[in-house]
Structures are given as structure tokens and as C-alpha cells.
Amino acid sequence: MIPIMESFSSIQGEGKRAGNVSIFVRLGGCNFSCAGFGVEYETPDGEKKKGCDSWYSVDKAFKHTWELLDYKDMIKKINSHIVPTHYKKADIVITGGEPTMYWKDKDFQKVLRYYSSRGHHITIETNASISIEIIDDYQRDIAFSMSVKLAVSGEKEHKRINIDNISNIASKTKESYLKFVVKDQSDVNEILELIQNIPDLVDIYLMPLGETREALEKTRDFVMTSALNHGFMYTDRLHIIRWNDTPGV
């Protein structure tokens, strides 16, 4: 059984597949809390905390809002968002939380195999900290958007950086890439140091920090200039530009 926080159809707002019609499936649970990102929220019992902009799928205080589904019910839920008349098949984006927490779950793998066999492009949004095995062909076709957390996240380095896993994913999949959330020069310096240990096998994207349009405006120019200066790729956050911080779109 897999905990599903939410699912919806939207436009992919970031990364290599930005602009594609996508079905998002947000899983509940994460191995990080990322309090350093500073997004303020309140738990159902009134406790005030800070975390990432997906705190509702990370903090177990919201576990009662997650729906436990087996693979058949997951497929039924995902299919309810698919529009048959679309010109091309929608992407399937598995996000969280941290989806690779469930990599060994049979139901999770059945869902991935089902949509891969039907020609849907699959992206898994991951912090790339949890070691996984990639064996089957359908797993090799998955694009892992590896959003490796930097020091600003507040997580300890030995926990958030797993070079062996990054290298494993990069070498065994075709379309995976690294995506770093950037706020200032210290983040860029950390990225430049980190990538010295990563094989030259994947594209590297810089994305501005910010959960609202206003916050993005404060970081966008710097991050875009940094990408230009260092030869990285830049990705904006189209969903925030369009819908601001409205959840479920």
C-alpha cells in the first residue's frame, strides 16, 4: 500500500520536461524535513514549523490526510486524470515527499511498469539520497529528476549527498538530470564543489528558490545569470508563475 497525498493534472513547471501536460502523483512521507528552506506552516494540532514547500506531504502530522492505495487503486486514480483526446499521452510525474522510499514496494513497481508499457513518459522527483537498484528496462526508461539538497536545507551533508546513488542513476538511465534549488552565491559555490565528484553523465539545472511569485522574483535573475556564467541549464517554476502558491495545480 502506497500513501498518496494528492494527484492532479497540470503542466510540468520545471526541469527537462517543463511545459508538458502531466499527471502528478504526490506520495506522502520523506526522509528529510528541510527546515532550512524556511517555508512556515502549522500542523493540525497548532504547532508552527518550517520546511519545504511540500510540507503537507513530508510532515507525518498530516499523515491522516494521505490515502493508502494498492496498485490497482493507484492506477484507477491516475487514469481518472487522463484525457483520452489529448494529442500526446500525458507524462506521469511521481513526486513527494520522497518517492524512492517506496522503490522496493511491489505495488509501486507495478504502477511504474503499467504506465511505461503504455507509452507514458515517467519522471520521478527525488532527492537522490536513498540507494536504489535499477535492473529492468522499464526502470531504465524513467527520468529521475535528482533534486539534491544543499546545505541551506538544514540536512546534514552525509545524509543528503549520496554520490554512489547519483552515479548509479546517471549511468543506468537515459534522461535523468540534476536539479539544484538556488538562492545565492553560497549555493552556487557548493554546487561547483559537489559536481567535481559526479560523473559527467547528466544535465545540471539551476532553479530559483521560492514558493511564491514574489519570492521567485527575488532570486530569478541571480540564478539565471549563474547558469549562464557556469554553463548550466536554467529552469524556472512555471506552475508558480501561473498559479502562485495554490496547492494541487
Side-chain angles (χ1 to χ4, degrees):
M1 303 290 278
I2 306 296
I4 309 298
M5 190 276 148
E6 63 181 350
S7 62
F8 55 91
S9 176
S10 188
I11 299 295
Q12 173 61 277
E14 57 193 49
K16 187 175 289 189
R17 304 284 293 183
N20 282 301
V21 173
S22 303
I23 309 301
F24 289 84
V25 185
R26 187 179 300 281
L27 307 188
C30 190
N31 59 327
F32 292 168
S33 60
C34 293
F37 285 142
V39 178
E40 298 181 350
Y41 67 94
E42 187 173 312
T43 65
D45 63 2
E47 183 180 1
K48 293 183 178 180
K49 292 184 177 181
K50 292 183 179 180
C52 70
D53 56 4
S54 299
W55 44 265
Y56 45 86
S57 63
V58 171
D59 195 325
K60 289 184 178 179
F62 296 90
K63 192 174 181 179
H64 65 283
T65 67
W66 306 342
E67 189 176 10
L68 285 175
L69 301 178
D70 63 15
Y71 80 95
K72 290 183 179 179
D73 286 332
M74 282 184 67
I75 289 170
K76 186 182 300 183
K77 178 174 282 290
I78 294 169
N79 284 348
S80 71
H81 300 295
I82 293 176
V83 179
T85 57
H86 276 174
Y87 173 70
K88 61 177 293 188
K89 291 186 176 182
D91 286 5
I92 306 297
V93 181
I94 312 295
T95 185
E98 176 47 50
T100 62
M101 290 174 61
Y102 308 103
W103 185 255
K104 295 181 180 179
D105 189 287
K106 291 181 180 180
D107 281 345
F108 186 63
Q109 290 299 325
K110 286 180 180 179
V111 170
L112 297 178
R113 188 183 296 110
Y114 176 91
Y115 286 104
S116 177
S117 69
R118 284 157 177 78
H120 291 270
H121 183 280
I122 300 172
T123 297
I124 292 181
E125 299 273 355
T126 176
N127 58 41
S129 67
I130 299 173
S131 296
I132 62 173
E133 289 188 353
I134 298 173
I135 300 171
D136 296 313
D137 287 343
Y138 74 89
Q139 296 171 337
R140 295 178 185 274
D141 288 336
I142 294 170
F144 289 83
S145 176
M146 296 183 282
S147 184
V148 177
K149 304 310 176 192
L150 301 176
V152 67
S153 68
E155 300 293 338
K156 294 181 179 179
E157 182 176 351
H158 75 273
K159 183 179 178 183
R160 57 185 169 80
I161 307 291
N162 186 341
I163 296 296
D164 289 343
N165 187 53
I166 295 170
S167 300
N168 174 55
I169 291 174
S171 64
K172 292 182 179 179
T173 61
K174 304 172 183 177
E175 297 185 60
S176 298
Y177 58 94
L178 286 161
K179 181 180 67 183
F180 294 100
V181 178
V182 175
K183 179 182 180 182
D184 54 30
Q185 188 60 46
S186 64
D187 293 338
V188 175
N189 293 342
E190 188 178 350
I191 292 167
L192 293 173
E193 182 177 352
L194 173 62
I195 63 174
Q196 299 303 312
N197 300 313
I198 296 175
D200 186 20
L201 295 172
V202 290
D203 293 329
I204 298 173
Y205 287 79
L206 302 188
M207 184 171 72
L209 175 67
E211 74 280 4
T212 65
R213 295 188 192 112
E214 182 180 10
L216 284 179
E217 285 294 329
K218 295 178 181 179
T219 56
R220 178 180 287 114
D221 287 348
F222 169 76
V223 177
M224 191 176 292
T225 301
S226 296
L228 179 63
N229 289 342
H230 296 286
F232 296 133
M233 294 185 176
Y234 173 81
T235 177
D236 217 308
R237 312 182 85 166
L238 302 180
H239 52 299
I240 293 177
I241 294 172
R242 171 61 180 85
W243 291 289
N244 204 19
D245 57 350
T246 303
V249 289

